[in-house]
Amino acid sequence: MASEAMILDVDGPHGVRAVRVSSPSRVLWPQAGLTKLDLARYLVDVAPAFLRANGDRPVSLQRFGGDVDGDYFFSKNPPKGAPDYVRSVAVTYPSGRSHPQLVLDEPASAVWAAQMNTVVFHPWASRAEAPDLPDELRIDLDPQPGTTFADVVAAAHALRAVLGEAGLTSFVKTSGNRGLHVFAPIEPVHEFLEVRHAVIAAGRELERRMPEKVTTAWWKEERGARIFVDYNQANRDRTMAGAYSPRALPHAPVSCPVTWDELDGIDPASFTIATVPDRLRTVGDPWEDLHAEPGSIDALRGWWDRDVGDGLGELPFPPDFPKMPGEPMRVQPSRARTRD
């Protein structure tokens, strides 16, 4: 593996920046034979769409010590020596602690992140100027053992109908693995907990319509062979791979936006850092106008209130969160029965 560095000239809103890429021949995806330089050039190629989706947001960088088969860690704070065009914004974490978090604003900052061995980009659902107020309602449709991608697609179409009835326009992308992510632009006027409740309300409505195919059960032992609506991805500081972000899987897939019309015919594995730039040049970005008409979650909040009135309350939070008001006991059901 070459140890010499190279300079990549990256054009952007402030002119051309010279970004140093060390060990450009270092292989990140051994199976696909793709290198650190391939990743940097991919980010340059997709920069407008990538930054439209992930820029101007607090972002966590998933960084690897070696290739994607090895160890990784998450970098949230600006590391020492970050260039002056990589900024940060103060955010509040679930613990109540506040700390600066990275924000990417231009192509050079994305390439710099690749230089820092970032493979996966995890943006918040809120903007840097209002980090407490999400402007995206995000729902992760997570396939469980015994389900197929066709099952996820069917759930996504049904979810689109549910959100439409609540007055929201939804967009879809591949997760980069087996699932799908459904986004809806929303007015940034509610805090994360309110948006989480809106996601739970939508998930419960979807579950009522597809009880044999979809579940909101947090505990894996209760999910069965159904698609899990991962409502906890709507929490503060809980993120998923951003649109056009690479994933750390052997064939170098990308979490790729698609249109609803093409969803039934896609193969998620076909969207990789080798193929997505050409797709953008020929097909365009299906998410280009995602934020053109943000909607309101008021209808979903009404559904939440209705469900609470019917005895359906809060659902479990992730284990690293503090105990939340109204939350049920965070004990796996089978263990709770054993204690009884």
Side-chain angles (χ1 to χ4, degrees):
M1 181 173 65
S3 59
E4 72 278 6
M6 66 172 292
I7 301 299
L8 201 61
D9 290 331
V10 182
D11 200 3
H14 304 290
V16 176
R17 297 196 191 276
V19 183
R20 180 180 181 273
V21 179
S22 62
S23 302
S25 299
R26 177 180 144 203
V27 176
L28 290 177
W29 287 274
Q31 178 176 302
L34 294 168
T35 66
K36 187 174 181 178
L37 181 59
D38 291 323
L39 172 59
R41 286 176 170 162
Y42 165 79
L43 292 169
V44 171
D45 285 343
V46 304
F50 176 88
L51 291 170
R52 194 159 45 236
N54 307 302
D56 191 33
R57 298 179 182 277
V59 64
S60 297
L61 308 180
Q62 188 175 350
R63 297 166 58 187
F64 286 74
D67 62 38
V68 296
D69 297 322
D71 295 334
Y72 63 85
F73 64 97
F74 287 92
S75 181
K76 299 181 179 183
N77 308 324
K80 184 178 180 180
D84 57 8
Y85 54 82
V86 176
R87 68 180 171 113
S88 63
V89 63
V91 300
T92 302
Y93 299 117
S95 64
R97 180 176 59 88
S98 181
H99 211 280
Q101 182 127 2
L102 289 160
V103 179
L104 306 179
D105 290 319
E106 58 177 282
S109 61
V111 174
W112 165 83
Q115 157 60 17
M116 299 296 290
N117 304 318
T118 302
V119 171
V120 191
F121 297 78
H122 299 262
W124 278 38
S126 55
R127 298 280 180 175
E129 58 269 22
D132 295 326
L133 304 173
D135 69 342
E136 291 175 345
L137 182 144
R138 302 172 171 182
I139 301 181
D140 180 9
L141 297 177
D142 186 8
Q144 302 301 294
T147 62
T148 67
F149 185 67
D151 294 326
V152 191
V153 169
H157 282 301
L159 178 58
R160 182 192 186 192
V162 167
L163 294 176
E165 290 172 26
L168 295 174
T169 301
S170 52
F171 296 75
V172 65
K173 69 182 177 74
T174 65
S175 69
N177 197 355
R178 298 180 58 239
L180 290 170
H181 298 158
V182 177
F183 281 35
I186 58 175
E187 299 165 348
V189 295
H190 297 286
E191 297 237 10
F192 280 90
L193 185 61
E194 290 282 352
V195 176
R196 177 183 191 269
H197 289 166
V199 169
I200 291 174
R204 281 175 167 158
E205 182 59 29
L206 181 63
E207 189 177 30
R208 278 189 280 266
R209 299 183 187 191
M210 305 177 73
E212 303 302 318
K213 298 291 186 180
V214 171
T215 182
T216 58
W218 175 247
W219 302 104
K220 290 184 179 181
E221 65 183 34
E222 295 184 326
R223 294 176 189 170
R226 293 179 288 180
I227 306 302
F228 172 48
V229 181
D230 190 354
Y231 58 87
N232 268 328
Q233 294 290 5
N235 286 327
R236 177 184 296 273
D237 194 34
R238 301 294 284 199
T239 57
M240 56 187 74
Y244 300 105
S245 171
R247 299 302 307 273
L249 294 170
H251 62 290
V254 167
S255 181
C256 188
V258 296
T259 67
W260 287 105
D261 288 341
E262 67 182 329
L263 182 58
D264 291 282
I266 65 168
D267 173 9
S270 68
F271 302 121
T272 72
I273 71 167
T275 64
V276 166
D278 187 60
R279 170 181 165 83
L280 277 169
R281 284 189 289 268
T282 57
V283 177
D285 178 12
W287 282 23
E288 184 171 0
D289 297 321
L290 187 148
H291 286 281
E293 296 183 9
S296 168
I297 64 169
D298 287 349
L300 290 177
R301 293 173 69 218
W303 295 4
W304 165 264
D305 291 339
R306 175 202 64 197
D307 288 346
V308 169
D310 290 340
L312 297 174
E314 193 59 88
L315 291 175
F317 283 76
D320 57 326
F321 271 56
K323 184 69 175 178
M324 301 296 288
E327 182 186 3
M329 189 168 53
R330 257 183 236 175
V331 179
Q332 191 172 330
S334 58
R335 291 183 178 179
R337 289 192 293 270
T338 300
R339 292 180 181 181
D340 293 341

